[in-house]
Amino acid sequence: MPGRDDPEKYLRWRIAVGEPDGRRRWSPVMLGSRLTRIPGPAPPTRVPGQGAAEPAPRDRAGPAWQRIFVARMAVAARSVSWLRHLLDHPVGLTRVRRVGVVVQEWEIPQRGWSGRLGPIPHLLAQRVTLPRHDRGRAVVEIELRWSVPLRSVVAAVLPLLTPVRPLPTPGSPEVTAQDVLPGWLGAGPGLAVVAGELPGDPAVRPYDLVLRPDGGDPSVAGDGAGTAYRGRLTVDRLGVPDTEDGGRTGPVLLDAEHAVPVGRYGPFGPDAPRAELTFSPGPDGGSWRIRGPAGLDRQGRLDRPWLSEQDWSALAGIGVLHCVVPGLRPRAEAALLLHLALAGVLVWAPGLPVSCRAQLADEVVEVLRAPLPDRPGGRPDPQTELEWEARAVRQRRAVLRRHARGFALPRLAAATFPGLGALPPVSVLLVTRRLEHVLDAVAAAAAQSYPELEIVLCLHGTGLPVELRQRLADCGRPVEVVEVPAGQSFGEALVAATARARGTLVTKFDDDDTYGPEHVWDLVLARHHSGATMVGKAAEFVYLGALDTTVRRDAGAAESFAPVVAGGTILIGRGDLAEVGGWRPVPSSVDRGLIDRVRRAGGLVYRTHPLGYVYQRRPAGHTWDPGLEYFLRDGGAQWTGLPRHGEFGTAGTDPGPPTSRWKFHQRRSNRVW
């Protein structure tokens, strides 16, 4: 067994992850072996009848776990979310050769989804047993030729049980956390955790960025200390204490891949139930408590400032959470506020202390402290209700793009690797036959706040006049023009546009729909936290040209996996698009054809919130026309023209159709990213 000299060897070991919920079933061969419970009690205690629950032999922590070898490890996790916490627990450093993972409360994300075992070295055998009815007990058994850290096994098992899809980027550094277990690091390509000295490699620099719990130099085995790494960053379990990027990134970070619950959207509005968050000091670092209507009473410890599934469920009916923050443990308190915002609750902290504000990005502080929307006249008003909803959307958006590790860590490493700090580039695919719509459609794409964006304009059966080409050159974004003969199908036109795209992500814009300035950001963020192959929005806001009216329809649950999304909002990775076979060469229903291919390949489709997109129904010219009654049936709020709101890019403008108010918007990305 390769590894450290003189490891402590154990034949069997059990790990129970998650709050108790009934009696766990262990295989007979594992009964009587050592048991580690996660999370453990605040001080080490004994569990009756189970022996020492915590800590490891001889009460050693940190690097001691890396010196332990277990021939057969059994892991029983209450849920996938609890299983993820092994990634940032010291027991994850234990070297193992045979591992059995049992998730007691597993549920398939969407029927038809197919998970895959992630990469793991020395694999000999694997066995997966999932519940017949898509919900229940999931079992994964792994056998390896040589031992690896338990953390590596968990990172490989997670994609089998839950969607995991890293951001597609053309380059990224190898990031290694040494002698520290950041709760926000997660798992993925180029992310590792070690304890003790970093092994050297004279052939190639093994580490690009080393995360350290102090400001000292990383310790490297052998004589390669000067060439083993290029940069270092001081971090702790909650984030990066000393952040120097002008307030764009807060010192507290989080792993968005398991901090955002699926299906949580609303309730919104001034009449939504409210609750209150308070904090109390204590010997274990303090605690938090949420009390609200219908007997709501949830409590937790500040040394674990994240939420469990039970917390998410208890908060499902809460619209506003008033937070009384004392600033006793500002970093932990700020971390809890971030997790609550990602849970879909509108977090309101008007008296946020300066010490807590220092842990958060400026954009997040502003939205947390801002006064709640008014309710003019005390009567229901569609515009006011929309503002409450938009407030919660802006809050979660700000937290994700400023504090999620996938976006924040590249920014923080940009001082050492300036070429690797950019976001994944996005290509907007715009295929049209109608020159009269080109300027408005390109303007909507150019006005996006997402910084790394190009526009691929595909003219289907028409050419581009010289004067129009010059106006496109002034839009402030790279524009690639492709011309496709009229005899080719719409699907073939999309194939030609995709072939000219340079982005690692591609998204489709329709030439006459309305897009708010944060639309592309919303799609990229949704892809990151959902792990879905394809993301999009529902056609929930529909502009009916014949009536000059926008209606809001019930188009299905937001922030959920869904069978379909609006074709004019699809976003997918170029690699994923190629893997499923690309666009079909059909004259119509191209979007549905791609969605079907994604789902047949075992991929997931995720529907994010509906704000920032309005589906336009002209009086004529649609291949699918169910009649106006279809869109008016069971409709909700209505607006004359388009809703006037910043989320749709229509605040302070004529609410009529966009073709009457064309204007190019200069690129604003430097102020956003």
Side-chain angles (χ1 to χ4, degrees):
M1 180 200 72
R4 300 296 179 121
D5 296 333
D6 302 322
E8 293 184 37
K9 298 179 181 180
Y10 297 86
L11 290 177
R12 296 168 296 167
W13 199 299
R14 292 174 296 162
I15 300 175
V17 192
E19 298 167 345
D21 184 25
R23 186 171 180 176
R24 291 186 174 90
R25 293 181 292 169
W26 301 99
S27 64
V29 71
M30 299 302 296
L31 295 177
S33 60
R34 290 181 177 269
L35 173 66
T36 297
R37 293 188 182 277
I38 301 172
T45 61
R46 297 182 66 83
V47 179
Q50 297 291 345
E54 283 283 359
R58 294 197 293 276
D59 195 21
R60 295 179 306 180
W65 283 104
Q66 197 177 34
R67 294 183 56 82
I68 295 174
F69 165 74
V70 178
R72 186 166 185 172
M73 178 75 80
V75 177
R78 180 169 180 176
S79 64
V80 173
S81 180
W82 278 107
L83 180 64
R84 282 181 179 271
H85 287 295
L86 285 180
L87 297 174
D88 54 83
H89 191 278
V91 74
L93 301 174
T94 306
R95 300 193 70 87
V96 295
R97 200 177 71 81
R98 294 182 64 187
V99 182
V101 176
V102 176
V103 176
Q104 296 173 318
E105 300 173 6
W106 180 82
E107 183 176 358
I108 193 169
Q110 187 180 40
R111 179 160 290 186
W113 174 72
S114 177
R116 302 176 185 177
L117 183 71
I120 184 171
H122 319 307
L123 180 65
L124 287 179
Q126 60 171 310
R127 182 180 179 184
V128 182
T129 305
L130 300 178
R132 183 176 299 274
H133 299 293
D134 298 335
R135 174 185 288 186
R137 192 169 183 260
V139 182
V140 181
E141 298 171 276
I142 300 293
E143 183 177 358
L144 307 172
R145 183 182 301 276
W146 304 109
S147 67
V148 301
L150 175 61
R151 188 182 193 277
S152 299
V153 177
V154 173
V157 168
L158 283 172
L160 266 171
L161 304 175
T162 188
V164 176
R165 194 162 298 275
L167 289 170
T169 175
S172 63
E174 288 286 326
V175 179
T176 303
Q178 182 185 36
D179 295 337
V180 63
L181 290 158
W184 45 268
L185 188 61
L191 300 176
V193 174
V194 300
E197 292 183 328
L198 299 174
D201 185 349
V204 62
R205 184 178 70 212
Y207 315 101
D208 297 320
L209 182 66
V210 178
L211 310 181
R212 292 278 302 164
D214 51 47
D217 293 331
S219 57
V220 182
D223 300 327
T227 58
Y229 66 94
R230 181 174 172 184
R232 67 177 185 270
L233 195 63
T234 302
V235 304
D236 58 21
R237 285 186 58 80
L238 294 179
V240 183
D242 299 318
T243 303
E244 297 180 0
D245 78 338
R248 294 181 301 163
T249 301
V252 174
L253 304 182
L254 44 79
D255 178 15
E257 292 179 356
H258 76 283
V260 182
V262 174
R264 177 66 165 92
Y265 192 71
F268 305 114
D271 297 328
R274 302 191 182 196
E276 183 178 67
L277 168 68
T278 57
F279 297 86
S280 301
D284 58 351
S287 62
W288 56 266
R289 187 174 187 179
I290 297 176
R291 284 176 285 192
L296 171 63
D297 192 348
R298 297 296 300 178
Q299 302 180 54
R301 285 167 33 189
L302 275 177
D303 62 342
R304 298 197 297 265
W306 35 262
L307 304 176
S308 66
E309 288 97 335
Q310 291 71 36
D311 297 324
W312 287 342
S313 178
L315 293 171
I318 300 301
V320 179
L321 184 63
H322 180 209
C323 303
V324 183
V325 186
L328 299 175
R329 293 191 62 190
R331 289 177 63 72
E333 292 165 359
L336 179 63
L337 296 182
L338 295 178
H339 280 276
L340 287 166
L342 293 187
V345 183
L346 199 165
V347 177
W348 184 42
L352 192 65
V354 174
S355 58
C356 288
R357 284 183 248 164
Q359 313 304 318
L360 303 171
D362 295 343
E363 182 183 0
V364 176
V365 171
E366 180 181 354
V367 73
L368 291 180
R369 299 181 64 209
L372 295 176
D374 294 328
R375 184 176 184 177
R379 298 186 306 274
D381 174 69
Q383 193 68 18
T384 302
E385 302 290 334
L386 180 61
E387 183 54 41
W388 283 81
E389 181 178 354
R391 170 73 173 269
V393 167
R394 289 196 300 266
Q395 178 179 269
R396 181 149 72 167
R397 180 192 297 139
V399 170
L400 282 170
R401 66 182 171 193
R402 300 305 180 199
H403 291 270
R405 180 260 306 160
F407 302 105
L409 191 57
R411 286 197 299 268
L412 297 173
T416 305
F417 303 98
L420 301 182
L423 289 163
V426 175
S427 296
V428 173
L429 307 182
L430 178 57
V431 180
T432 182
R433 295 177 181 269
R434 299 169 295 189
L435 291 178
E436 66 272 18
H437 288 285
V438 167
L439 290 179
D440 285 319
V442 171
Q448 294 297 304
S449 62
Y450 193 82
E452 302 297 327
L453 183 142
E454 69 163 0
I455 302 167
V456 181
L457 174 62
C458 181
L459 299 174
H460 192 190
T462 184
L464 187 66
V466 175
E467 63 276 11
L468 191 56
R469 186 182 298 271
Q470 181 57 47
R471 297 183 73 179
L472 293 178
D474 298 332
C475 77
R477 298 281 192 176
V479 179
E480 184 79 11
V481 179
V482 183
E483 296 184 7
V484 175
Q488 293 189 9
S489 66
F490 183 60
E492 290 172 290
L494 277 169
V495 171
T498 304
R500 298 283 287 274
R502 294 186 290 267
T504 56
L505 295 168
V506 295
T507 186
K508 183 172 170 287
F509 270 38
D510 285 349
D511 61 5
D512 56 351
D513 289 343
T514 298
Y515 298 88
E518 301 279 18
H519 172 76
V520 171
W521 251 121
D522 290 338
L523 299 181
V524 175
L525 294 175
R527 184 189 186 276
H528 177 57
H529 72 72
S530 71
T533 307
M534 174 189 291
V535 298
K537 296 182 178 181
E540 189 162 318
F541 292 86
V542 181
Y543 174 76
L544 304 175
L547 302 178
D548 188 28
T549 298
T550 299
V551 298
R552 185 167 191 179
R553 306 166 53 242
D554 182 2
E559 301 298 348
S560 301
F561 297 109
V564 67
V565 292
T569 68
I570 285 173
L571 180 136
I572 188 172
R574 282 199 65 185
D576 296 326
L577 180 62
E579 186 177 348
V580 301
W583 306 96
R584 292 187 57 196
V586 293
S588 61
S589 301
V590 180
D591 311 321
R592 187 54 190 257
L594 179 60
I595 292 172
D596 290 344
R597 282 187 165 182
V598 167
R599 300 197 63 188
R600 284 200 303 267
L604 290 171
V605 178
Y606 186 83
R607 180 192 294 148
T608 187
H609 69 82
L611 303 189
Y613 173 69
V614 179
Y615 173 54
Q616 300 267 347
R617 291 294 300 185
R618 302 180 305 277
H622 293 278
T623 56
W624 175 69
D625 188 8
L628 292 178
E629 294 79 7
Y630 174 84
F631 297 101
L632 294 171
R633 185 189 313 142
D634 300 325
Q638 297 188 9
W639 293 263
T640 300
L642 293 172
R644 292 191 181 187
H645 199 279
E647 285 295 320
F648 298 99
T650 56
T653 66
D654 178 359
T659 52
S660 65
R661 48 179 172 77
W662 169 80
K663 179 183 178 182
F664 272 126
H665 298 266
Q666 292 300 317
R667 183 175 179 177
R668 301 182 294 146
S669 60
N670 291 336
R671 299 200 302 273
V672 175
W673 176 241

